[in-house]
Amino acid sequence: MSSTDANGPNGASASNGIITLYTNHGCPWAHRAHITLRALNIPYEEVIIPLDRPREPWYLEINPRGLVPSLKISNGILKDEIIIESAIVSTFIADLYPSPTFWPASHSTPTSALERARINFFVDTFIGKVNAKMYSFYQIEGEEKEKLATELVKTVEKEIEPLLEGAAPFFGGSETLTLAEALTASFVVRYRASAEHGLMPKSILEGLDALPNYSRWSKAIHERDEVMYIFDGPSFASATAKRIEKMKAEAK
Protein backbone atom coordinates (compact mmCIF):
# COMPACT_ATOMS: atom_id res chain seq x y z
CA MET A 1 0.00 0.00 0.00
CA SER A 2 1.11 3.54 -0.67
CA SER A 3 -0.72 6.77 -0.09
CA THR A 4 -1.45 10.12 -1.70
CA ASP A 5 -3.67 13.02 -0.75
CA ALA A 6 -6.72 14.17 -2.66
CA ASN A 7 -4.83 16.50 -5.00
CA GLY A 8 -4.90 13.89 -7.75
CA PRO A 9 -5.54 10.18 -8.28
CA ASN A 10 -2.69 7.80 -9.00
CA GLY A 11 -2.54 4.03 -9.16
CA ALA A 12 -0.03 1.53 -7.81
CA SER A 13 0.98 -1.29 -10.11
CA ALA A 14 0.52 -4.84 -8.89
CA SER A 15 1.36 -8.04 -10.71
CA ASN A 16 -2.35 -8.72 -11.18
CA GLY A 17 -3.48 -5.19 -12.00
CA ILE A 18 -3.57 -1.61 -10.86
CA ILE A 19 -5.88 -0.91 -7.94
CA THR A 20 -6.60 2.52 -6.48
CA LEU A 21 -8.71 2.86 -3.33
CA TYR A 22 -10.27 6.24 -2.65
CA THR A 23 -10.77 6.23 1.09
CA ASN A 24 -10.70 7.92 4.46
CA HIS A 25 -9.23 6.08 7.45
CA GLY A 26 -11.87 7.52 9.77
CA CYS A 27 -14.78 5.99 7.87
CA PRO A 28 -15.98 2.57 9.05
CA TRP A 29 -17.51 1.85 5.65
CA ALA A 30 -14.24 2.50 3.83
CA HIS A 31 -12.49 0.42 6.50
CA ARG A 32 -14.30 -2.63 5.08
CA ALA A 33 -12.37 -2.36 1.82
CA HIS A 34 -9.06 -1.96 3.66
CA ILE A 35 -9.68 -5.15 5.62
CA THR A 36 -10.54 -7.06 2.46
CA LEU A 37 -7.47 -5.90 0.55
CA ARG A 38 -5.15 -6.62 3.48
CA ALA A 39 -6.68 -10.02 4.22
CA LEU A 40 -6.19 -11.08 0.60
CA ASN A 41 -2.71 -9.51 0.44
CA ILE A 42 -3.56 -7.37 -2.59
CA PRO A 43 -1.29 -4.37 -3.27
CA TYR A 44 -3.05 -1.08 -3.86
CA GLU A 45 -2.62 2.66 -3.96
CA GLU A 46 -4.78 4.74 -1.68
CA VAL A 47 -5.98 8.28 -2.20
CA ILE A 48 -7.27 9.97 0.97
CA ILE A 49 -10.53 11.85 0.50
CA PRO A 50 -11.19 14.47 3.21
CA LEU A 51 -14.73 14.15 4.54
CA ASP A 52 -14.86 17.44 6.42
CA ARG A 53 -15.21 19.62 3.32
CA PRO A 54 -17.05 19.57 -0.02
CA ARG A 55 -15.68 16.99 -2.43
CA GLU A 56 -13.38 18.13 -5.19
CA PRO A 57 -14.92 18.09 -8.69
CA TRP A 58 -12.44 15.44 -9.88
CA TYR A 59 -13.63 13.06 -7.16
CA LEU A 60 -17.29 13.65 -7.97
CA GLU A 61 -16.48 12.52 -11.50
CA ILE A 62 -15.25 9.23 -10.00
CA ASN A 63 -18.10 8.88 -7.54
CA PRO A 64 -21.00 11.32 -8.02
CA ARG A 65 -22.29 10.41 -4.55
CA GLY A 66 -19.08 11.77 -3.04
CA LEU A 67 -18.80 8.86 -0.62
CA VAL A 68 -15.94 6.53 0.24
CA PRO A 69 -14.80 3.97 -0.57
CA SER A 70 -14.49 3.97 -4.32
CA LEU A 71 -12.21 1.58 -6.16
CA LYS A 72 -10.61 1.94 -9.58
CA ILE A 73 -9.10 -1.07 -11.28
CA SER A 74 -7.25 -1.84 -14.50
CA ASN A 75 -5.90 -5.34 -15.12
CA GLY A 76 -5.49 -5.82 -18.86
CA ILE A 77 -9.14 -6.70 -19.34
CA LEU A 78 -10.77 -4.04 -17.18
CA LYS A 79 -9.73 -0.44 -17.90
CA ASP A 80 -10.20 2.18 -15.17
CA GLU A 81 -13.43 0.57 -14.02
CA ILE A 82 -14.97 2.26 -10.97
CA ILE A 83 -16.74 0.32 -8.21
CA ILE A 84 -18.54 2.16 -5.39
CA GLU A 85 -20.31 1.31 -2.11
CA SER A 86 -18.38 -0.53 0.59
CA ALA A 87 -20.05 -3.96 0.52
CA ILE A 88 -20.00 -4.01 -3.28
CA VAL A 89 -16.34 -2.94 -3.38
CA SER A 90 -15.33 -5.58 -0.85
CA THR A 91 -17.31 -8.37 -2.49
CA PHE A 92 -15.98 -7.41 -5.92
CA ILE A 93 -12.40 -7.69 -4.62
CA ALA A 94 -13.17 -11.04 -2.99
CA ASP A 95 -14.78 -12.35 -6.18
CA LEU A 96 -11.89 -11.13 -8.32
CA TYR A 97 -9.31 -12.77 -6.06
CA PRO A 98 -11.21 -15.76 -4.62
CA SER A 99 -9.93 -17.47 -1.49
CA PRO A 100 -11.47 -20.72 -0.22
CA THR A 101 -11.24 -19.51 3.36
CA PHE A 102 -12.15 -15.83 2.91
CA TRP A 103 -14.93 -16.00 0.27
CA PRO A 104 -15.09 -19.17 -1.80
CA ALA A 105 -15.89 -18.99 -5.49
CA SER A 106 -19.55 -19.91 -5.96
CA HIS A 107 -18.88 -23.29 -7.65
CA SER A 108 -15.49 -24.12 -6.11
CA THR A 109 -16.94 -26.85 -3.84
CA PRO A 110 -20.36 -28.47 -3.38
CA THR A 111 -20.89 -26.32 -0.27
CA SER A 112 -19.37 -23.00 -1.37
CA ALA A 113 -22.70 -21.47 -2.41
CA LEU A 114 -24.08 -22.34 1.04
CA GLU A 115 -21.03 -20.80 2.74
CA ARG A 116 -21.53 -17.59 0.77
CA ALA A 117 -25.23 -17.50 1.67
CA ARG A 118 -24.43 -17.90 5.37
CA ILE A 119 -21.86 -15.11 5.25
CA ASN A 120 -24.37 -12.86 3.49
CA PHE A 121 -27.04 -13.63 6.08
CA PHE A 122 -24.65 -12.94 8.96
CA VAL A 123 -23.61 -9.57 7.52
CA ASP A 124 -27.21 -8.61 6.71
CA THR A 125 -28.26 -9.47 10.26
CA PHE A 126 -25.37 -7.60 11.85
CA ILE A 127 -25.85 -4.42 9.83
CA GLY A 128 -29.63 -4.46 9.86
CA LYS A 129 -30.27 -5.53 13.45
CA VAL A 130 -27.20 -4.37 15.40
CA ASN A 131 -25.39 -1.61 13.58
CA ALA A 132 -28.63 0.24 12.93
CA LYS A 133 -28.63 1.12 16.65
CA MET A 134 -25.04 2.40 16.81
CA TYR A 135 -25.45 5.98 15.66
CA SER A 136 -28.41 6.60 17.94
CA PHE A 137 -25.98 6.64 20.88
CA TYR A 138 -24.51 9.88 19.62
CA GLN A 139 -27.88 11.64 19.71
CA ILE A 140 -29.19 10.76 23.19
CA GLU A 141 -28.09 11.16 26.81
CA GLY A 142 -28.48 9.68 30.29
CA GLU A 143 -31.04 6.97 30.91
CA GLU A 144 -31.89 6.76 27.23
CA LYS A 145 -28.30 5.73 26.49
CA GLU A 146 -28.37 3.02 29.16
CA LYS A 147 -31.69 1.74 27.84
CA LEU A 148 -30.32 1.58 24.32
CA ALA A 149 -27.19 -0.17 25.60
CA THR A 150 -29.34 -2.88 27.14
CA GLU A 151 -31.29 -3.22 23.88
CA LEU A 152 -28.08 -3.48 21.85
CA VAL A 153 -26.67 -6.26 24.02
CA LYS A 154 -29.97 -8.15 23.91
CA THR A 155 -30.04 -7.84 20.13
CA VAL A 156 -26.50 -9.21 19.82
CA GLU A 157 -27.40 -12.06 22.16
CA LYS A 158 -30.52 -12.93 20.17
CA GLU A 159 -29.36 -12.33 16.60
CA ILE A 160 -25.56 -12.66 16.47
CA GLU A 161 -24.52 -14.98 19.30
CA PRO A 162 -26.22 -18.06 17.74
CA LEU A 163 -24.66 -17.34 14.33
CA LEU A 164 -21.19 -17.39 15.90
CA GLU A 165 -21.64 -20.89 17.29
CA GLY A 166 -18.70 -22.86 15.92
CA ALA A 167 -16.55 -19.81 15.15
CA ALA A 168 -12.92 -20.87 15.45
CA PRO A 169 -12.44 -18.01 16.19
CA PHE A 170 -13.86 -16.53 12.97
CA PHE A 171 -17.15 -17.05 11.22
CA GLY A 172 -18.08 -20.52 10.03
CA GLY A 173 -15.24 -22.26 11.87
CA SER A 174 -12.50 -20.39 10.01
CA GLU A 175 -9.10 -19.84 11.61
CA THR A 176 -8.58 -16.71 9.47
CA LEU A 177 -10.71 -13.72 8.56
CA THR A 178 -13.62 -14.19 6.20
CA LEU A 179 -15.72 -11.70 4.28
CA ALA A 180 -18.10 -11.82 7.26
CA GLU A 181 -15.44 -10.13 9.38
CA ALA A 182 -14.34 -7.80 6.59
CA LEU A 183 -17.85 -6.37 6.43
CA THR A 184 -18.50 -6.12 10.18
CA ALA A 185 -15.18 -5.76 12.04
CA SER A 186 -14.86 -2.02 11.45
CA PHE A 187 -18.01 -1.56 13.51
CA VAL A 188 -17.00 -4.08 16.18
CA VAL A 189 -13.80 -2.17 16.96
CA ARG A 190 -15.68 1.13 17.02
CA TYR A 191 -18.24 -0.21 19.51
CA ARG A 192 -15.47 -1.07 21.94
CA ALA A 193 -13.55 2.16 21.40
CA SER A 194 -16.76 4.17 21.87
CA ALA A 195 -17.53 2.46 25.18
CA GLU A 196 -13.93 2.66 26.40
CA HIS A 197 -13.81 6.40 25.74
CA GLY A 198 -17.23 7.36 27.11
CA LEU A 199 -19.18 7.76 23.88
CA MET A 200 -21.32 4.74 24.76
CA PRO A 201 -22.12 3.32 28.20
CA LYS A 202 -19.48 0.95 29.60
CA SER A 203 -22.33 -1.44 30.36
CA ILE A 204 -22.16 -2.37 26.67
CA LEU A 205 -18.70 -3.85 27.21
CA GLU A 206 -19.87 -5.77 30.26
CA GLY A 207 -22.86 -7.15 28.38
CA LEU A 208 -21.00 -8.09 25.21
CA ASP A 209 -18.07 -9.58 27.10
CA ALA A 210 -20.53 -11.86 28.90
CA LEU A 211 -21.55 -13.45 25.59
CA PRO A 212 -19.09 -16.32 25.03
CA ASN A 213 -19.27 -16.57 21.25
CA TYR A 214 -19.35 -12.85 20.53
CA SER A 215 -16.64 -11.97 23.05
CA ARG A 216 -14.27 -14.62 21.70
CA TRP A 217 -14.94 -13.46 18.14
CA SER A 218 -14.50 -9.78 19.02
CA LYS A 219 -11.24 -10.45 20.85
CA ALA A 220 -9.87 -12.29 17.83
CA ILE A 221 -10.88 -9.41 15.56
CA HIS A 222 -9.02 -6.91 17.73
CA GLU A 223 -5.86 -9.02 17.46
CA ARG A 224 -5.75 -9.01 13.65
CA ASP A 225 -3.45 -6.63 11.83
CA GLU A 226 -5.78 -6.73 8.80
CA VAL A 227 -8.39 -4.97 10.94
CA MET A 228 -6.30 -2.74 13.17
CA TYR A 229 -3.62 -1.39 10.84
CA ILE A 230 -5.54 1.79 9.95
CA PHE A 231 -7.63 2.10 13.13
CA ASP A 232 -6.64 4.12 16.19
CA GLY A 233 -9.21 3.96 18.98
CA PRO A 234 -8.31 7.18 20.84
CA SER A 235 -8.12 9.19 17.60
CA PHE A 236 -11.47 7.80 16.49
CA ALA A 237 -13.05 8.66 19.86
CA SER A 238 -11.62 12.19 19.85
CA ALA A 239 -12.82 12.91 16.32
CA THR A 240 -16.25 11.45 17.05
CA ALA A 241 -16.61 13.52 20.24
CA LYS A 242 -15.86 16.66 18.25
CA ARG A 243 -18.47 15.75 15.65
CA ILE A 244 -21.05 15.15 18.39
CA GLU A 245 -20.34 18.55 19.95
CA LYS A 246 -20.63 20.21 16.55
CA MET A 247 -23.99 18.52 15.90
CA LYS A 248 -25.26 19.63 19.31
CA ALA A 249 -24.14 23.20 18.68
CA GLU A 250 -25.82 23.27 15.26
CA ALA A 251 -29.04 21.90 16.75
CA LYS A 252 -29.39 24.81 19.20
Side-chain angles (χ1 to χ4, degrees):
M1 178 192 76
S2 57
S3 179
T4 64
D5 60 23
N7 291 326
N10 296 294
S13 179
S15 60
N16 49 8
I18 301 173
I19 292 178
T20 304
L21 180 68
Y22 301 90
T23 184
N24 185 289
H25 289 184
C27 175
W29 303 99
H31 194 174
R32 296 166 124 188
H34 283 276
I35 297 170
T36 301
L37 287 162
R38 187 83 155 203
L40 295 173
N41 196 30
I42 299 170
Y44 65 98
E45 173 92 1
E46 68 173 26
V47 178
I48 302 298
I49 305 299
L51 300 179
D52 58 353
R53 67 192 75 163
R55 308 299 180 264
E56 296 288 342
W58 69 261
Y59 185 61
L60 293 176
E61 291 181 9
I62 291 171
N63 184 344
R65 297 182 180 182
L67 304 174
V68 291
S70 301
L71 182 137
K72 181 171 71 175
I73 182 168
S74 296
N75 63 3
I77 299 173
L78 305 176
K79 176 63 176 177
D80 290 342
E81 291 289 345
I82 302 296
I83 311 297
I84 64 173
E85 296 297 321
S86 62
I88 297 171
V89 167
S90 299
T91 304
F92 171 80
I93 296 166
D95 279 332
L96 197 61
Y97 306 100
S99 162
T101 56
F102 185 81
W103 178 244
S106 58
H107 297 295
S108 59
T109 72
T111 61
S112 57
L114 177 61
E115 292 171 33
R116 290 163 65 103
R118 286 176 172 166
I119 288 174
N120 280 330
F121 181 76
F122 176 82
V123 174
D124 182 75
T125 302
F126 189 97
I127 298 301
K129 300 290 188 179
V130 179
N131 203 59
K133 300 178 184 295
M134 179 179 180
Y135 295 100
S136 298
F137 281 101
Y138 305 145
Q139 302 168 5
I140 56 179
E141 299 290 344
E143 292 184 3
E144 287 188 48
K145 270 193 174 182
E146 287 293 345
K147 181 180 178 181
L148 186 58
T150 300
E151 291 178 6
L152 179 67
V153 172
K154 287 182 177 179
T155 299
V156 173
E157 183 176 19
K158 176 184 176 182
E159 303 287 351
I160 302 300
E161 182 75 0
L163 299 180
L164 290 172
E165 189 69 36
F170 300 111
F171 186 79
S174 178
E175 296 180 356
T176 56
L177 294 178
T178 73
L179 188 61
E181 283 77 33
L183 296 180
T184 57
S186 61
F187 304 105
V188 172
V189 297
R190 282 166 174 79
Y191 296 162
R192 178 162 289 274
S194 292
E196 289 176 342
H197 294 277
L199 300 175
M200 293 182 181
K202 289 191 180 298
S203 59
I204 286 181
L205 295 182
E206 297 170 1
L208 295 178
D209 287 347
L211 303 177
N213 297 337
Y214 181 90
S215 61
R216 183 170 57 251
W217 178 70
S218 174
K219 181 176 184 295
I221 282 173
H222 281 80
E223 293 172 349
R224 298 297 297 209
D225 170 73
E226 300 99 314
V227 175
M228 304 302 292
Y229 76 107
I230 66 161
F231 180 70
D232 180 89
S235 295
F236 154 75
S238 176
T240 302
K242 290 178 182 178
R243 287 198 299 272
I244 293 172
E245 290 304 314
K246 183 179 179 181
M247 287 190 297
K248 289 179 178 178
E250 291 174 347
K252 291 181 179 179

